[in-house]
Amino acid sequence: MQYIALIYSDETFDDGPIEELLAEYQEFTDKVTAAGVMRGGDALELTSTATTVRMRDGELLLSDGPFAETKEQLGGYYLFECVDLDEAVYWAKQIPSAKYGSIEVRPIMPTDG
């Protein structure tokens, strides 16, 4: 079964040099890749680059930035292939941002196509 691990953190949070955090992420990515669990993943640009799209009564409404103002922003994701939720949580708790942000783990809905 596939699970997505959505990485939320305060994008203004500064807990040391970015190089250290990127090194931690590379180490984690290498680990889940070697374990055969990783199916995909990417980091996202800052929320200041986001565009929110809405359709209301047939009219396109665009706005800059994320949909909601929150303390933590979606910063990236990993897509895991796991036996069950317990295994997905095992990997998600090791994502570096789990130490100061949050990781939302959700199963991918199976489709017939």
Side-chain angles (χ1 to χ4, degrees), residues 20-34 78 91 94 96:
E20 289 179 23
L21 181 60
L22 293 176
E24 288 180 37
Y25 266 97
Q26 188 59 58
E27 183 179 327
F28 175 75
T29 300
D30 293 345
K31 187 175 182 179
V32 292
T33 300
Y78 283 94
W91 291 109
Q94 297 177 63

mmCIF file of all heavy atoms in Angstrom, residues 20-34 78 91 94 96:
data_model
loop_
_atom_site.group_PDB
_atom_site.id
_atom_site.type_symbol
_atom_site.label_atom_id
_atom_site.label_comp_id
_atom_site.label_asym_id
_atom_site.label_seq_id
_atom_site.Cartn_x
_atom_site.Cartn_y
_atom_site.Cartn_z
ATOM 1 N N GLU A 20 23.100 21.716 7.231
ATOM 2 C CA GLU A 20 22.939 20.569 8.133
ATOM 3 C C GLU A 20 21.599 19.887 7.912
ATOM 4 O O GLU A 20 21.522 18.659 7.870
ATOM 5 C CB GLU A 20 23.071 21.023 9.586
ATOM 6 C CG GLU A 20 24.473 21.413 9.981
ATOM 7 C CD GLU A 20 24.553 21.887 11.431
ATOM 8 O OE1 GLU A 20 23.679 21.520 12.247
ATOM 9 O OE2 GLU A 20 25.491 22.643 11.737
ATOM 10 N N LEU A 21 20.542 20.691 7.769
ATOM 11 C CA LEU A 21 19.216 20.125 7.547
ATOM 12 C C LEU A 21 19.168 19.386 6.210
ATOM 13 O O LEU A 21 18.639 18.270 6.122
ATOM 14 C CB LEU A 21 18.149 21.224 7.586
ATOM 15 C CG LEU A 21 16.706 20.761 7.384
ATOM 16 C CD1 LEU A 21 16.294 19.760 8.464
ATOM 17 C CD2 LEU A 21 15.775 21.953 7.362
ATOM 18 N N LEU A 22 19.726 19.974 5.175
ATOM 19 C CA LEU A 22 19.745 19.315 3.871
ATOM 20 C C LEU A 22 20.531 18.012 3.915
ATOM 21 O O LEU A 22 20.148 17.023 3.281
ATOM 22 C CB LEU A 22 20.296 20.258 2.805
ATOM 23 C CG LEU A 22 19.432 21.475 2.481
ATOM 24 C CD1 LEU A 22 20.139 22.383 1.488
ATOM 25 C CD2 LEU A 22 18.054 21.078 1.989
ATOM 26 N N ALA A 23 21.609 17.992 4.679
ATOM 27 C CA ALA A 23 22.389 16.757 4.839
ATOM 28 C C ALA A 23 21.559 15.689 5.548
ATOM 29 O O ALA A 23 21.604 14.506 5.177
ATOM 30 C CB ALA A 23 23.687 17.037 5.598
ATOM 31 N N GLU A 24 20.788 16.084 6.571
ATOM 32 C CA GLU A 24 19.907 15.140 7.266
ATOM 33 C C GLU A 24 18.867 14.578 6.305
ATOM 34 O O GLU A 24 18.567 13.380 6.335
ATOM 35 C CB GLU A 24 19.210 15.817 8.442
ATOM 36 C CG GLU A 24 20.107 16.118 9.615
ATOM 37 C CD GLU A 24 19.339 16.797 10.746
ATOM 38 O OE1 GLU A 24 18.158 16.448 10.971
ATOM 39 O OE2 GLU A 24 19.920 17.685 11.397
ATOM 40 N N TYR A 25 18.295 15.445 5.484
ATOM 41 C CA TYR A 25 17.310 14.979 4.505
ATOM 42 C C TYR A 25 17.936 14.027 3.493
ATOM 43 O O TYR A 25 17.322 13.021 3.122
ATOM 44 C CB TYR A 25 16.633 16.160 3.794
ATOM 45 C CG TYR A 25 15.346 16.550 4.475
ATOM 46 C CD1 TYR A 25 15.310 17.596 5.378
ATOM 47 C CD2 TYR A 25 14.170 15.846 4.237
ATOM 48 C CE1 TYR A 25 14.136 17.938 6.017
ATOM 49 C CE2 TYR A 25 12.993 16.176 4.871
ATOM 50 C CZ TYR A 25 12.973 17.228 5.760
ATOM 51 O OH TYR A 25 11.809 17.549 6.397
ATOM 52 N N GLN A 26 19.142 14.323 3.030
ATOM 53 C CA GLN A 26 19.798 13.432 2.074
ATOM 54 C C GLN A 26 20.062 12.066 2.700
ATOM 55 O O GLN A 26 19.852 11.023 2.078
ATOM 56 C CB GLN A 26 21.102 14.039 1.556
ATOM 57 C CG GLN A 26 21.713 13.244 0.417
ATOM 58 C CD GLN A 26 20.781 13.130 -0.778
ATOM 59 O OE1 GLN A 26 20.368 14.132 -1.338
ATOM 60 N NE2 GLN A 26 20.442 11.910 -1.171
ATOM 61 N N GLU A 27 20.496 12.075 3.960
ATOM 62 C CA GLU A 27 20.741 10.817 4.674
ATOM 63 C C GLU A 27 19.458 10.002 4.796
ATOM 64 O O GLU A 27 19.441 8.796 4.568
ATOM 65 C CB GLU A 27 21.318 11.125 6.056
ATOM 66 C CG GLU A 27 21.672 9.906 6.861
ATOM 67 C CD GLU A 27 22.265 10.265 8.226
ATOM 68 O OE1 GLU A 27 22.964 11.296 8.344
ATOM 69 O OE2 GLU A 27 22.011 9.498 9.179
ATOM 70 N N PHE A 28 18.344 10.680 5.149
ATOM 71 C CA PHE A 28 17.067 9.982 5.266
ATOM 72 C C PHE A 28 16.614 9.445 3.911
ATOM 73 O O PHE A 28 16.181 8.293 3.793
ATOM 74 C CB PHE A 28 15.984 10.895 5.859
ATOM 75 C CG PHE A 28 14.641 10.241 5.880
ATOM 76 C CD1 PHE A 28 14.350 9.255 6.805
ATOM 77 C CD2 PHE A 28 13.668 10.574 4.939
ATOM 78 C CE1 PHE A 28 13.118 8.620 6.814
ATOM 79 C CE2 PHE A 28 12.438 9.948 4.932
ATOM 80 C CZ PHE A 28 12.160 8.969 5.873
ATOM 81 N N THR A 29 16.736 10.265 2.871
ATOM 82 C CA THR A 29 16.333 9.848 1.533
ATOM 83 C C THR A 29 17.131 8.635 1.074
ATOM 84 O O THR A 29 16.571 7.679 0.522
ATOM 85 C CB THR A 29 16.488 11.011 0.531
ATOM 86 O OG1 THR A 29 15.660 12.103 0.966
ATOM 87 C CG2 THR A 29 16.091 10.602 -0.875
ATOM 88 N N ASP A 30 18.433 8.647 1.333
ATOM 89 C CA ASP A 30 19.267 7.489 0.996
ATOM 90 C C ASP A 30 18.800 6.247 1.750
ATOM 91 O O ASP A 30 18.771 5.140 1.189
ATOM 92 C CB ASP A 30 20.735 7.778 1.318
ATOM 93 C CG ASP A 30 21.340 8.856 0.426
ATOM 94 O OD1 ASP A 30 20.748 9.197 -0.620
ATOM 95 O OD2 ASP A 30 22.420 9.374 0.797
ATOM 96 N N LYS A 31 18.413 6.425 3.009
ATOM 97 C CA LYS A 31 17.985 5.306 3.855
ATOM 98 C C LYS A 31 16.685 4.672 3.341
ATOM 99 O O LYS A 31 16.606 3.448 3.215
ATOM 100 C CB LYS A 31 17.812 5.805 5.297
ATOM 101 C CG LYS A 31 17.544 4.758 6.318
ATOM 102 C CD LYS A 31 17.524 5.404 7.700
ATOM 103 C CE LYS A 31 17.307 4.403 8.801
ATOM 104 N NZ LYS A 31 17.312 5.043 10.129
ATOM 105 N N VAL A 32 15.666 5.494 3.034
ATOM 106 C CA VAL A 32 14.396 4.924 2.566
ATOM 107 C C VAL A 32 14.520 4.370 1.150
ATOM 108 O O VAL A 32 13.828 3.423 0.794
ATOM 109 C CB VAL A 32 13.211 5.914 2.677
ATOM 110 C CG1 VAL A 32 12.863 6.198 4.115
ATOM 111 C CG2 VAL A 32 13.441 7.182 1.910
ATOM 112 N N THR A 33 15.419 4.952 0.352
ATOM 113 C CA THR A 33 15.666 4.424 -0.989
ATOM 114 C C THR A 33 16.331 3.048 -0.898
ATOM 115 O O THR A 33 15.901 2.104 -1.574
ATOM 116 C CB THR A 33 16.542 5.398 -1.802
ATOM 117 O OG1 THR A 33 15.861 6.652 -1.903
ATOM 118 C CG2 THR A 33 16.822 4.864 -3.187
ATOM 119 N N ALA A 34 17.337 2.930 -0.042
ATOM 120 C CA ALA A 34 18.032 1.649 0.138
ATOM 121 C C ALA A 34 17.091 0.573 0.681
ATOM 122 O O ALA A 34 17.230 -0.605 0.342
ATOM 123 C CB ALA A 34 19.232 1.824 1.070
ATOM 124 N N TYR A 78 7.090 12.744 0.966
ATOM 125 C CA TYR A 78 7.654 11.467 0.546
ATOM 126 C C TYR A 78 6.488 10.549 0.220
ATOM 127 O O TYR A 78 5.451 10.588 0.887
ATOM 128 C CB TYR A 78 8.485 10.816 1.663
ATOM 129 C CG TYR A 78 9.850 11.407 1.855
ATOM 130 C CD1 TYR A 78 10.072 12.403 2.791
ATOM 131 C CD2 TYR A 78 10.929 10.961 1.091
ATOM 132 C CE1 TYR A 78 11.334 12.956 2.975
ATOM 133 C CE2 TYR A 78 12.190 11.498 1.266
ATOM 134 C CZ TYR A 78 12.389 12.488 2.206
ATOM 135 O OH TYR A 78 13.639 13.023 2.371
ATOM 136 N N TRP A 91 8.752 5.048 9.214
ATOM 137 C CA TRP A 91 9.598 5.868 8.340
ATOM 138 C C TRP A 91 9.325 7.358 8.557
ATOM 139 O O TRP A 91 10.245 8.165 8.603
ATOM 140 C CB TRP A 91 9.398 5.472 6.881
ATOM 141 C CG TRP A 91 9.955 4.119 6.601
ATOM 142 C CD1 TRP A 91 9.250 2.980 6.343
ATOM 143 C CD2 TRP A 91 11.332 3.745 6.590
ATOM 144 N NE1 TRP A 91 10.106 1.918 6.167
ATOM 145 C CE2 TRP A 91 11.399 2.365 6.311
ATOM 146 C CE3 TRP A 91 12.525 4.432 6.781
ATOM 147 C CZ2 TRP A 91 12.596 1.661 6.214
ATOM 148 C CZ3 TRP A 91 13.720 3.745 6.681
ATOM 149 C CH2 TRP A 91 13.749 2.379 6.403
ATOM 150 N N GLN A 94 11.106 9.393 11.196
ATOM 151 C CA GLN A 94 12.531 9.646 10.968
ATOM 152 C C GLN A 94 12.790 10.828 10.029
ATOM 153 O O GLN A 94 13.937 11.222 9.830
ATOM 154 C CB GLN A 94 13.178 8.384 10.399
ATOM 155 C CG GLN A 94 13.124 7.211 11.358
ATOM 156 C CD GLN A 94 13.714 5.968 10.746
ATOM 157 O OE1 GLN A 94 14.901 5.946 10.419
ATOM 158 N NE2 GLN A 94 12.897 4.943 10.564
ATOM 159 N N PRO A 96 13.498 14.381 9.042
ATOM 160 C CA PRO A 96 14.130 15.398 9.893
ATOM 161 C C PRO A 96 13.184 16.460 10.443
ATOM 162 O O PRO A 96 13.307 16.848 11.604
ATOM 163 C CB PRO A 96 15.194 16.006 8.983
ATOM 164 C CG PRO A 96 15.596 14.876 8.096
ATOM 165 C CD PRO A 96 14.307 14.152 7.825
#
